[in-house]
Amino acid sequence: MKLVVLTGGIASGKSAVCATLAEMGVPIIDADRIAREVVEPGRDAHREIVEAFGEAVLRPDGQVDREKLGKIIFSDPERRALLERITHPRIGVRIAERVAEHAAGGAQAVVLDIPLYLENLERGSGAPLPADAILVVHVDPETQLRRLMARDDLSRPEALARIEAQLPLDEKAGMADYVIDNSGEPGETARQARSVWERVTGGDGDEKALEGQQGGSR
Ligand code: ADP
C-alpha cells in the first residue's frame, strides 16, 4: 500500500483536493483531526500540556485553546519544541495505527492530509511516517491571499502574516513528487486531482513526475 502525503499552504486548496479524492473513494487520514484528538481532556498529552504551559492555555470547557498555544509557540522555538515533544509522538502513533488499519483492509493507497508536513521535515522535527509520494496543492500567491482573506475574514496584513509563517508554496512545490495547481476553476483542480491519483496508483512510486509535464510511463 502506498502512503501519499497531501500538503500545501494555508488556503491553497487542500480541502478541495481532499474532497475530490474522497468522492473517488480514496481513504484519507486527517492529521489535523488526530492532532486535536490527542490533546482532548483526559488524554496524557492534555495533562502534560497543562503541566508545561499552565491552566491559562485551557478554554473554560477544559479543551486546549489551540489558538492561545499557537501564539505562545509562534516566536519561541524552545516552547514549540516542548509542545512537539508532547504531541508529535502520539500523533505519529495514531497515524501509524490508521495507516495499518487501511493496509489490513486491503487499501491500495491512502492519503495523509497533513498541512505542515514539509515545515516539520525542514525543521528536522520529523515526519510521522516516510511517504511514498508527496503531493502539493499549489496556488499563485495573489489568489492564495485573496482566498484566505475571504475564507477567514482577514485583512490583507493578517492574511500575509499567516502565509509568511509557512514555507513559500513555490519551495514546497519543489519538494513535491506531484503538484496540483489550484489557481483555476474548481473543475480544473478536480481534473488534475483525478489525473494525479491515476498516476500515483498506476506508477511504481519511484519516478518523480509533475502534473502538466510530459507524463512518461505514468
Ligand atoms: P486549504 O484546505 O488548503 O486551507 P481550502 O480548500 O479551504 O484550502 O481553500 C481555501 C478557500 O478557497 C476556500 O474558501 C475555498 O472554498 C476556496 N477555493 C478553493 N479552491 C478554489 C478554486 N479552485 N476556485 C475558487 N475558490 C476556491
Side-chain angles (χ1 to χ4, degrees):
M1 188 187 74
K2 285 187 182 167
L3 176 65
V4 181
V5 160
L6 183 133
T7 192
I10 186 168
S12 75
K14 296 175 299 295
S15 309
V17 169
C18 272
T20 300
L21 295 173
E23 261 170 39
M24 294 165 66
V26 176
I28 294 172
I29 300 170
D30 180 344
D32 236 8
R33 188 149 112 200
I34 290 175
R36 288 193 300 270
E37 285 168 4
V38 302
V39 300
E40 275 169 5
R43 302 289 186 94
D44 289 345
H46 184 278
R47 183 178 42 77
E48 288 178 22
I49 286 171
V50 174
E51 281 167 11
F53 295 89
E55 303 252 345
V57 298
L58 295 184
R59 297 195 317 225
D61 65 358
Q63 297 275 347
V64 170
D65 187 331
R66 288 174 22 117
E67 205 170 314
K68 213 177 242 179
L69 208 45
K71 279 188 189 139
I72 293 172
I73 64 166
F74 187 75
S75 51
D76 188 338
E78 271 179 35
R79 303 202 92 191
R80 175 191 290 270
L82 174 61
L83 179 66
E84 289 179 346
R85 277 198 302 277
I86 296 171
T87 57
H88 279 191
R90 282 149 177 143
I91 295 170
V93 165
R94 188 68 196 116
I95 289 174
E97 285 170 1
R98 298 287 312 278
V99 168
E101 284 162 17
H102 286 297
Q108 191 189 6
V110 60
V111 165
L112 174 59
D113 172 9
I114 182 161
L116 295 179
Y117 184 83
L118 295 173
E119 278 82 357
N120 289 339
L121 213 58
E122 278 264 306
R123 283 190 295 107
S125 71
L129 285 177
D132 294 302
I134 296 175
L135 168 49
V136 165
V137 185
H138 186 270
V139 70
D140 68 77
E142 197 48 47
T143 307
Q144 181 183 23
L145 187 61
R146 186 166 39 76
R147 287 182 186 160
L148 177 58
M149 288 168 65
R151 187 192 65 185
D152 294 353
D153 196 20
L154 298 175
S155 68
R156 198 177 168 89
E158 284 169 338
L160 267 176
R162 282 165 175 72
I163 291 172
E164 283 166 5
Q166 303 187 332
L167 274 185
L169 258 182
D170 284 349
E171 210 172 302
K172 290 190 178 183
M175 297 162 85
D177 298 297
Y178 301 91
V179 178
I180 291 176
D181 173 24
N182 183 37
S183 306
E185 294 296 314
E188 167 54 19
T189 299
R191 187 200 64 74
Q192 289 180 52
R194 287 190 290 269
S195 145
V196 161
W197 193 252
E198 231 167 73
R199 286 186 286 145
V200 167
T201 50
D204 61 11
D206 291 324
E207 251 176 86
K208 298 250 170 181
L210 200 63
E211 162 66 16
Q213 285 190 350
Q214 279 297 324
S217 60
R218 284 171 192 276

